[in-house]
């Protein structure tokens, strides 16, 4: 397993370890977005309502971006992805579908 990043001398981690650490960010961002949207529903003042919605919007964008990065790290660090097996083909198709969906969403 190749180590890609070295921090503070002997401490380094692989793509798989980076994926395992990074995969929790989109979950937190998307859950936080849902919480901010729910809080905006219960807010009486319009100026606060707009702030809650604005924060929820940015959390959705950050969650989507982090999900794409986590998917790329997971695909790049998957040792089975280098072999031409059926699971690697399915993962590739799903990754390209995710990228196409993100492009359509952002246009």
């Amino acid at each position: 397993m190749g180590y890609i990043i070295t921090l503070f001398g002997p401490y380094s981690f692989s793509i798989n370890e980076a994926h395992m650490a990074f995969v929790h960010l989109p979950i937190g961002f998307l859950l936080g977005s849902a919480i901010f949207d729910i809080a905006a529903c219960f807010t009486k003042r319009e100026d606060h309502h707009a702030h809650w919605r604005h924060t929820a919007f940015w959390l959705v964008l950050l969650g989507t971006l982090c999900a794409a990065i986590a998917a790329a790290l997971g695909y790049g660090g998957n040792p089975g992805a280098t072999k031409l097996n059926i699971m690697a083909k399915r993962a590739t198709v799903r990754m390209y579908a995710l990228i196409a969906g993100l492009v359509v969403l952002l246009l």
Side-chain angles (χ1 to χ4, degrees), residues 3 8 11 34-35 43 50 52 61 67 73 75 77 85 91 96 100-101 106:
Y3 289 95
F8 308 115
Y11 302 108
I35 290 169
T43 303
W52 290 97
L61 285 181
L73 284 171
Y75 182 75
N85 59 19
Y96 290 141
L106 294 176

Side-chain angles (χ1 to χ4, degrees), residues 5-42:
I5 298 174
T6 302
L7 298 172
F8 308 115
Y11 302 108
S12 58
F13 53 92
S14 67
I15 294 176
N16 281 338
E17 292 166 339
H19 167 73
M20 289 186 285
F22 205 81
V23 75
H24 298 92
L25 286 175
I27 297 168
F29 284 141
L30 295 175
L31 284 175
S33 173
I35 290 169
F36 274 86
D37 269 335
I38 292 169
C41 292
F42 294 110

